[in-house]
Short mmCIF file of all heavy atoms in Angstrom, two decimals:
data_model
loop_
_atom_site.label_atom_id
_atom_site.label_comp_id
_atom_site.label_asym_id
_atom_site.label_seq_id
_atom_site.Cartn_x
_atom_site.Cartn_y
_atom_site.Cartn_z
N GLN A 317 72.88 -106.79 54.33
CA GLN A 317 73.90 -107.60 53.67
C GLN A 317 73.79 -107.57 52.15
O GLN A 317 74.76 -107.89 51.46
CB GLN A 317 73.80 -109.05 54.16
CG GLN A 317 74.28 -109.24 55.60
CD GLN A 317 74.01 -110.63 56.13
OE1 GLN A 317 73.06 -111.30 55.72
NE2 GLN A 317 74.84 -111.10 57.07
N LEU A 327 74.58 -95.77 60.92
CA LEU A 327 74.04 -94.82 61.88
C LEU A 327 72.57 -95.12 62.15
O LEU A 327 71.78 -95.29 61.22
CB LEU A 327 74.20 -93.40 61.34
CG LEU A 327 73.87 -92.24 62.29
CD1 LEU A 327 74.85 -92.19 63.45
CD2 LEU A 327 73.89 -90.92 61.52
N ALA A 398 76.10 -87.42 49.53
CA ALA A 398 75.30 -87.81 48.36
C ALA A 398 75.23 -89.33 48.20
O ALA A 398 74.21 -89.87 47.74
CB ALA A 398 75.89 -87.18 47.09
N ALA A 420 80.72 -113.81 60.17
CA ALA A 420 81.89 -114.38 60.85
C ALA A 420 82.33 -113.40 61.94
O ALA A 420 83.20 -112.56 61.73
CB ALA A 420 83.01 -114.62 59.86
N ILE A 421 81.71 -113.51 63.10
CA ILE A 421 82.03 -112.61 64.21
C ILE A 421 82.40 -113.41 65.45
O ILE A 421 82.04 -114.59 65.57
CB ILE A 421 80.86 -111.65 64.53
CG1 ILE A 421 79.62 -112.44 64.96
CG2 ILE A 421 80.55 -110.75 63.35
CD1 ILE A 421 78.46 -111.56 65.41
N GLY A 423 84.09 -112.67 69.85
CA GLY A 423 84.15 -111.74 70.96
C GLY A 423 84.95 -110.48 70.70
O GLY A 423 84.69 -109.43 71.29
N TYR A 431 79.29 -92.79 70.64
CA TYR A 431 79.90 -91.47 70.46
C TYR A 431 79.63 -90.56 71.66
O TYR A 431 78.52 -90.46 72.16
CB TYR A 431 79.39 -90.81 69.18
CG TYR A 431 80.29 -91.14 68.00
CD1 TYR A 431 80.09 -92.30 67.26
CD2 TYR A 431 81.37 -90.33 67.69
CE1 TYR A 431 80.93 -92.63 66.21
CE2 TYR A 431 82.22 -90.65 66.64
CZ TYR A 431 82.00 -91.79 65.91
OH TYR A 431 82.85 -92.12 64.88
N VAL A 467 62.67 -107.95 86.85
CA VAL A 467 61.77 -107.24 85.94
C VAL A 467 62.26 -105.79 85.83
O VAL A 467 62.46 -105.12 86.84
CB VAL A 467 60.31 -107.25 86.43
CG1 VAL A 467 59.41 -106.46 85.48
CG2 VAL A 467 59.80 -108.68 86.58
N PRO A 473 67.23 -92.72 77.57
CA PRO A 473 67.43 -92.73 76.12
C PRO A 473 68.15 -94.01 75.68
O PRO A 473 69.17 -94.37 76.26
CB PRO A 473 68.30 -91.50 75.86
CG PRO A 473 68.07 -90.61 77.03
CD PRO A 473 67.83 -91.52 78.21
N GLY A 491 67.23 -112.81 79.74
CA GLY A 491 66.05 -113.47 79.20
C GLY A 491 64.78 -113.14 79.97
O GLY A 491 63.93 -114.00 80.20
N ARG A 515 52.93 -100.79 88.72
CA ARG A 515 52.01 -101.60 87.90
C ARG A 515 52.60 -102.95 87.52
O ARG A 515 51.93 -103.98 87.57
CB ARG A 515 51.64 -100.80 86.65
CG ARG A 515 50.76 -101.53 85.64
CD ARG A 515 50.54 -100.63 84.44
NE ARG A 515 49.79 -101.27 83.37
CZ ARG A 515 49.57 -100.71 82.18
NH1 ARG A 515 50.03 -99.50 81.92
NH2 ARG A 515 48.89 -101.36 81.25
N TYR A 516 53.88 -102.95 87.11
CA TYR A 516 54.49 -104.17 86.60
C TYR A 516 55.35 -104.89 87.65
O TYR A 516 56.03 -105.86 87.33
CB TYR A 516 55.33 -103.86 85.36
CG TYR A 516 54.50 -103.33 84.22
CD1 TYR A 516 54.56 -101.99 83.84
CD2 TYR A 516 53.63 -104.17 83.52
CE1 TYR A 516 53.78 -101.50 82.80
CE2 TYR A 516 52.84 -103.69 82.48
CZ TYR A 516 52.92 -102.36 82.13
OH TYR A 516 52.14 -101.88 81.09
N LEU A 530 63.46 -84.97 90.57
CA LEU A 530 62.26 -84.60 89.81
C LEU A 530 61.02 -85.26 90.41
O LEU A 530 59.95 -84.63 90.51
CB LEU A 530 62.43 -85.02 88.35
CG LEU A 530 61.67 -84.22 87.28
CD1 LEU A 530 62.03 -82.74 87.35
CD2 LEU A 530 61.98 -84.78 85.90
N PRO A 537 51.08 -85.82 96.72
CA PRO A 537 50.70 -86.78 97.77
C PRO A 537 49.59 -87.73 97.32
O PRO A 537 49.60 -88.91 97.71
CB PRO A 537 50.23 -85.87 98.91
CG PRO A 537 50.99 -84.60 98.71
CD PRO A 537 51.09 -84.43 97.23
N GLN A 539 49.11 -88.82 94.27
CA GLN A 539 49.72 -89.81 93.39
C GLN A 539 50.54 -90.82 94.19
O GLN A 539 50.53 -92.02 93.89
CB GLN A 539 50.60 -89.11 92.34
CG GLN A 539 49.80 -88.32 91.31
CD GLN A 539 50.70 -87.46 90.42
OE1 GLN A 539 51.77 -87.01 90.84
NE2 GLN A 539 50.27 -87.25 89.18
N LEU A 591 79.87 -99.76 80.30
CA LEU A 591 78.95 -99.04 81.18
C LEU A 591 79.45 -99.08 82.62
O LEU A 591 80.08 -98.17 83.10
CB LEU A 591 77.52 -99.60 81.09
CG LEU A 591 76.50 -98.92 82.01
CD1 LEU A 591 76.36 -97.45 81.66
CD2 LEU A 591 75.15 -99.62 81.93
N THR A 610 87.50 -78.88 103.41
CA THR A 610 88.74 -78.14 103.16
C THR A 610 89.88 -79.08 102.78
O THR A 610 90.65 -78.82 101.85
CB THR A 610 89.14 -77.31 104.39
OG1 THR A 610 88.07 -76.43 104.74
CG2 THR A 610 90.39 -76.50 104.12
N THR A 649 101.98 -92.73 90.41
CA THR A 649 102.16 -93.70 91.49
C THR A 649 100.83 -93.89 92.19
O THR A 649 99.99 -92.98 92.23
CB THR A 649 103.21 -93.22 92.51
OG1 THR A 649 102.84 -91.94 93.01
CG2 THR A 649 104.59 -93.14 91.86
N LEU A 652 97.83 -93.37 98.46
CA LEU A 652 97.51 -93.96 99.76
C LEU A 652 96.00 -93.85 99.99
O LEU A 652 95.32 -93.04 99.36
CB LEU A 652 98.27 -93.23 100.86
CG LEU A 652 99.81 -93.28 100.79
CD1 LEU A 652 100.42 -92.36 101.84
CD2 LEU A 652 100.30 -94.72 100.97
N VAL A 661 91.06 -97.86 85.72
CA VAL A 661 90.29 -99.10 85.63
C VAL A 661 90.92 -100.05 84.61
O VAL A 661 91.37 -99.62 83.54
CB VAL A 661 88.82 -98.82 85.22
CG1 VAL A 661 88.02 -100.11 85.16
CG2 VAL A 661 88.17 -97.83 86.18
N ASP A 664 88.09 -106.61 81.22
CA ASP A 664 87.58 -106.93 79.89
C ASP A 664 86.37 -106.07 79.50
O ASP A 664 85.91 -106.12 78.36
CB ASP A 664 87.19 -108.41 79.81
CG ASP A 664 88.39 -109.31 79.61
OD1 ASP A 664 89.49 -108.78 79.38
OD2 ASP A 664 88.23 -110.55 79.68
N LEU A 685 101.48 -97.52 85.54
CA LEU A 685 102.07 -96.88 86.70
C LEU A 685 103.54 -96.57 86.42
O LEU A 685 104.12 -97.06 85.44
CB LEU A 685 101.93 -97.78 87.92
CG LEU A 685 100.49 -97.98 88.45
CD1 LEU A 685 100.50 -98.93 89.65
CD2 LEU A 685 99.87 -96.65 88.85
N SER A 736 77.09 -66.80 69.00
CA SER A 736 75.69 -66.42 69.08
C SER A 736 75.45 -64.93 68.84
O SER A 736 74.33 -64.51 68.60
CB SER A 736 75.13 -66.80 70.46
OG SER A 736 75.73 -66.02 71.49
N ALA A 739 79.07 -59.39 69.11
CA ALA A 739 79.71 -58.60 70.16
C ALA A 739 80.60 -59.44 71.06
O ALA A 739 81.33 -58.89 71.90
CB ALA A 739 78.62 -57.92 71.01
N LYS A 800 84.49 -57.44 80.77
CA LYS A 800 85.30 -56.57 79.92
C LYS A 800 86.36 -57.36 79.15
O LYS A 800 86.83 -58.40 79.59
CB LYS A 800 85.97 -55.49 80.76
CG LYS A 800 85.00 -54.41 81.24
CD LYS A 800 85.74 -53.28 81.92
CE LYS A 800 84.77 -52.18 82.34
NZ LYS A 800 85.46 -51.05 83.02
N LYS A 818 85.25 -69.58 87.82
CA LYS A 818 84.16 -69.97 88.72
C LYS A 818 84.35 -69.31 90.09
O LYS A 818 83.38 -68.80 90.69
CB LYS A 818 84.13 -71.49 88.87
CG LYS A 818 83.04 -72.01 89.80
CD LYS A 818 83.01 -73.53 89.79
CE LYS A 818 81.95 -74.09 90.73
NZ LYS A 818 81.86 -75.57 90.67
N LEU A 822 81.81 -66.81 92.04
CA LEU A 822 81.31 -67.06 93.39
C LEU A 822 81.71 -65.95 94.37
O LEU A 822 80.98 -65.66 95.32
CB LEU A 822 81.83 -68.42 93.90
CG LEU A 822 81.31 -69.66 93.14
CD1 LEU A 822 82.02 -70.91 93.63
CD2 LEU A 822 79.80 -69.80 93.31
#
Side-chain angles (χ1 to χ4, degrees):
Q317 288 172 331
L327 188 66
I421 61 175
Y431 269 86
V467 178
R515 176 183 176 186
Y516 297 108
L530 208 57
Q539 290 171 331
L591 179 61
T610 303
T649 56
L652 298 172
V661 181
D664 281 352
L685 292 178
S736 67
K800 287 187 177 180
K818 180 175 179 176
L822 294 173

